[in-house]
């Protein structure tokens, strides 16, 4: 397994701030899908592994 350096992604809303760690290779997926309203933040957060890192679907 390759060495991972998860990035911290912040989702800022008016009344709430959420965070999720994501491997760099999957950052595009979160940005693209939320920007296009294809998916919600919660879908990515639920897909994170047990250690709290999103590694893709």
């Amino acid at each position: 397994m390759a060495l991972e350096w998860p990035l911290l992604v912040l989702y800022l809303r008016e009344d709430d701030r959420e965070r999720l760690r994501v491997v760099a290779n999957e950052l595009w997926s979160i940005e693209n899908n939320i920007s296009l309203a294809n998916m919600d933040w919660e879908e990515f957060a639920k897909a994170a592994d047990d250690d709290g890192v999103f590694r893709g679907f």
Side-chain angles (χ1 to χ4, degrees):
M1 177 157 110
L3 182 63
E4 296 178 340
W5 295 93
L7 304 170
L8 180 63
V9 177
L10 301 174
Y11 186 56
L12 305 175
R13 295 186 249 189
E14 292 178 18
D15 58 342
D16 196 17
R17 290 178 169 84
E18 298 182 47
R19 58 186 177 172
L20 174 68
R21 291 184 301 148
V22 60
V23 293
N25 289 344
E26 292 296 328
L27 184 60
W28 69 269
S29 177
I30 295 175
E31 193 281 327
N32 286 349
N33 284 294
I34 290 177
S35 295
L36 296 172
N38 288 334
M39 299 175 75
D40 293 326
W41 176 264
E42 290 77 20
E43 293 176 84
F44 291 100
K46 288 179 184 177
D49 289 341
D50 290 337
D51 61 358
V53 178
F54 176 75
R55 291 182 173 87
F57 293 105

